[in-house]
Every structure is written in structure tokens, then in C-alpha cells.
Amino acid sequence: MKELVVNYLLQYQNCPLPSLGTLQILREPATVIQGQKLITSPKYRIEFNPIEISAAGFIKFIAASSHQNEESALENLQAFCTSLTLLREEDELALPMLGTFSVDIDGRLSFNENSLKESFSPAVHAERVIHENDTHSILVGDTETTNRLMSDFYNEPTARRIDRWWIWAIVLFVAAAVAILLFTTDAGRQSIFGNGIKVTPHEAPSTYTTGN
């Protein structure tokens, strides 16, 4: 019966034990350790959960593997579970390759899995590879562009970008020069500023004297 428990657990990742609970294989995913450039391999652990699940599939598995009917398979499973309830604190019941059932000081059934050597699940060296020539979309502000376009923009020679500003500077200079030239050559425009305003003196009154 112990071999059937092991086979079913390895195939279906769980094995129900009526009136006791469920053996489960839990998977811990691989972990990336960026500082050491390593990826730890995924690990598996076996846990005994006191929550019960349906044993119908396991009973059919026992019947097919042992060439017996399901009633006999159920009786064998129940007998195995009863043997677990009769364990004393110093007793153990081993499942081949996986671990052992035991009873703790409070009389609760527990499962202690066998630890695998680190060589069975070694860490793998992993160095991040950046493909600089690959094109992918990036978001700059509210504008979506590509990494290649942005690279071309920032790698553009500085002189070419500065020449564009000189064009605007020349346009503004020419406009200012034309405005100054028009102002200095147009007497009508000059008359509204400073000494350019013509002064018309009034005729002296009859009572005005020069003091002589």
C-alpha cells in the first residue's frame, strides 16, 4: 500500500488519506538573484494537510494497480489510514524515497520529507543579455516612439542641431535690421519721437519785452 501512495502522489501531486487529511507536493518557483547573477532551481516539498479531499480517484487507482474491485481497494486504504492513527510518539512509518509519518508530542500526525541534496537542484548562472540592435517601442512623455529613433536623435552631431538655431537667429537679425532701416529713413516715422517733433512758436504778445 505504501508504494501505491508514493506512485499516486508523484503522478497527481496529491494523495487523499480518508479521515486523516491529504499529502500534497507543493512547488516553489525558481528565484532570480540579480546581485549574484544566479537563478535557483524550482524546489518541491511534501506537506501533510489535515484538510480532506475526495478519495474516489485514489480508490480507482488502487483497484486498477492491484487488480481488485473498488470495495477491496477502499478497505485496503482504510486499513492503511488506521495504521497511521495507531502510531505512537516513538513510532515512524516510512514512505519509500519520500519521507516518514510520525506523531508529535501532542499526538498529531505529521509527515517529515526526505531532504534532497543540493546537487539534484543546482543554481544556474544567469547573466542578463541586452540586444542593443533590436527595435522595441518606448514611451517618451506622451509620445510613443522606438529605441532606435531615440538613439539616432541623441547620437545626431551637435553641430547639425546648433545650425538650426543659427537659422532662427539670422532671421530675427534680418527682421530687426529692416525695421531699424525703415525707421531711420522715414522722416514721418521719426517725427513722433524726441527732437524729431516740429515746434511752432507762438507770436509774442504786445506786452512782451526783452528787458532792454
Tab-separated table of all heavy atoms in Angstrom, residues 24-25 32 47 56 66 72 80 87 106 140 143 147 152 178 187 202 204:
chain	number	residue	atom	x	y	z
A	24	GLN	N	0.418	16.401	-0.068
A	24	GLN	CA	0.493	17.264	-1.235
A	24	GLN	C	1.946	17.546	-1.597
A	24	GLN	O	2.805	17.656	-0.718
A	24	GLN	CB	-0.211	18.612	-0.979
A	24	GLN	CG	-1.706	18.501	-0.778
A	24	GLN	CD	-2.314	19.860	-0.462
A	24	GLN	OE1	-1.829	20.572	0.409
A	24	GLN	NE2	-3.355	20.216	-1.174
A	25	ILE	N	2.209	17.667	-2.900
A	25	ILE	CA	3.504	18.130	-3.378
A	25	ILE	C	3.342	19.585	-3.794
A	25	ILE	O	2.554	19.905	-4.694
A	25	ILE	CB	4.010	17.283	-4.560
A	25	ILE	CG1	4.264	15.841	-4.104
A	25	ILE	CG2	5.286	17.880	-5.142
A	25	ILE	CD1	4.760	14.934	-5.213
A	32	VAL	N	15.281	34.486	-9.040
A	32	VAL	CA	16.412	35.194	-9.657
A	32	VAL	C	17.139	35.994	-8.587
A	32	VAL	O	16.529	36.801	-7.887
A	32	VAL	CB	15.930	36.129	-10.775
A	32	VAL	CG1	17.117	36.908	-11.367
A	32	VAL	CG2	15.213	35.340	-11.856
A	47	GLU	N	3.958	18.117	1.850
A	47	GLU	CA	3.303	18.637	3.047
A	47	GLU	C	2.073	17.794	3.358
A	47	GLU	O	1.322	17.400	2.452
A	47	GLU	CB	2.902	20.096	2.799
A	47	GLU	CG	2.294	20.794	3.992
A	47	GLU	CD	1.957	22.237	3.682
A	47	GLU	OE1	2.844	23.103	3.840
A	47	GLU	OE2	0.810	22.501	3.256
A	56	ALA	N	-11.998	9.296	-4.320
A	56	ALA	CA	-12.551	8.438	-5.368
A	56	ALA	C	-11.495	8.085	-6.406
A	56	ALA	O	-11.378	6.924	-6.833
A	56	ALA	CB	-13.750	9.124	-6.026
A	66	SER	N	-3.859	-2.937	-8.377
A	66	SER	CA	-3.805	-4.183	-7.611
A	66	SER	C	-4.714	-5.261	-8.178
A	66	SER	O	-4.816	-6.355	-7.581
A	66	SER	CB	-4.205	-3.919	-6.144
A	66	SER	OG	-3.385	-2.907	-5.590
A	72	SER	N	-12.684	-3.583	-2.315
A	72	SER	CA	-11.472	-4.104	-1.668
A	72	SER	C	-10.401	-3.018	-1.594
A	72	SER	O	-9.655	-2.926	-0.608
A	72	SER	CB	-10.940	-5.314	-2.443
A	72	SER	OG	-11.888	-6.370	-2.454
A	80	PHE	N	-4.788	1.107	5.858
A	80	PHE	CA	-3.537	1.869	5.898
A	80	PHE	C	-3.702	3.126	6.753
A	80	PHE	O	-2.821	3.447	7.576
A	80	PHE	CB	-3.122	2.243	4.470
A	80	PHE	CG	-1.903	3.113	4.406
A	80	PHE	CD1	-0.642	2.586	4.602
A	80	PHE	CD2	-2.026	4.479	4.155
A	80	PHE	CE1	0.481	3.394	4.544
A	80	PHE	CE2	-0.912	5.292	4.095
A	80	PHE	CZ	0.354	4.746	4.284
A	87	LEU	N	-0.067	4.959	15.367
A	87	LEU	CA	1.342	5.274	15.626
A	87	LEU	C	1.492	5.923	16.994
A	87	LEU	O	0.683	6.769	17.394
A	87	LEU	CB	1.891	6.229	14.539
A	87	LEU	CG	2.105	5.652	13.140
A	87	LEU	CD1	2.576	6.744	12.197
A	87	LEU	CD2	3.117	4.513	13.173
A	106	ASP	N	1.977	16.150	20.885
A	106	ASP	CA	0.549	16.389	21.139
A	106	ASP	C	-0.336	15.340	20.503
A	106	ASP	O	-1.563	15.457	20.529
A	106	ASP	CB	0.149	17.774	20.597
A	106	ASP	CG	0.871	18.899	21.319
A	106	ASP	OD1	1.041	18.776	22.546
A	106	ASP	OD2	1.244	19.892	20.659
A	140	VAL	N	8.025	58.112	-24.534
A	140	VAL	CA	8.748	59.315	-24.135
A	140	VAL	C	7.721	60.411	-23.895
A	140	VAL	O	7.151	60.965	-24.829
A	140	VAL	CB	9.761	59.753	-25.213
A	140	VAL	CG1	10.496	61.012	-24.768
A	140	VAL	CG2	10.747	58.634	-25.505
A	143	THR	N	4.453	60.552	-25.992
A	143	THR	CA	4.695	60.125	-27.367
A	143	THR	C	5.307	58.738	-27.394
A	143	THR	O	6.267	58.461	-26.686
A	143	THR	CB	5.642	61.113	-28.089
A	143	THR	OG1	5.093	62.432	-28.012
A	143	THR	CG2	5.815	60.721	-29.547
A	147	ASN	N	13.218	52.729	-29.611
A	147	ASN	CA	14.551	52.958	-29.054
A	147	ASN	C	15.557	53.359	-30.130
A	147	ASN	O	16.473	54.135	-29.886
A	147	ASN	CB	15.032	51.697	-28.328
A	147	ASN	CG	15.161	50.507	-29.269
A	147	ASN	OD1	14.313	50.290	-30.123
A	147	ASN	ND2	16.208	49.721	-29.124
A	152	ASP	N	19.104	57.501	-32.505
A	152	ASP	CA	19.562	58.318	-33.625
A	152	ASP	C	19.483	59.799	-33.287
A	152	ASP	O	20.351	60.592	-33.668
A	152	ASP	CB	18.725	58.026	-34.870
A	152	ASP	CG	18.962	56.618	-35.402
A	152	ASP	OD1	19.986	56.014	-35.024
A	152	ASP	OD2	18.119	56.118	-36.168
A	178	VAL	N	15.950	95.380	-40.846
A	178	VAL	CA	14.987	96.022	-41.754
A	178	VAL	C	14.127	97.028	-41.011
A	178	VAL	O	13.855	98.135	-41.495
A	178	VAL	CB	14.115	94.941	-42.436
A	178	VAL	CG1	12.971	95.572	-43.199
A	178	VAL	CG2	14.964	94.087	-43.373
A	187	ALA	N	11.198	109.974	-42.539
A	187	ALA	CA	11.080	111.180	-41.698
A	187	ALA	C	9.749	111.233	-40.985
A	187	ALA	O	9.635	111.733	-39.861
A	187	ALA	CB	11.264	112.431	-42.563
A	202	HIS	N	4.654	130.432	-30.780
A	202	HIS	CA	3.526	131.380	-30.846
A	202	HIS	C	4.053	132.799	-31.020
A	202	HIS	O	5.174	133.140	-30.634
A	202	HIS	CB	2.695	131.289	-29.559
A	202	HIS	CG	2.021	129.939	-29.397
A	202	HIS	ND1	0.914	129.569	-30.112
A	202	HIS	CD2	2.331	128.882	-28.607
A	202	HIS	CE1	0.545	128.361	-29.783
A	202	HIS	NE2	1.405	127.907	-28.844
A	204	ALA	N	4.709	136.562	-30.168
A	204	ALA	CA	4.858	137.218	-28.863
A	204	ALA	C	3.736	138.221	-28.623
A	204	ALA	O	3.337	138.977	-29.548
A	204	ALA	CB	6.190	137.940	-28.790
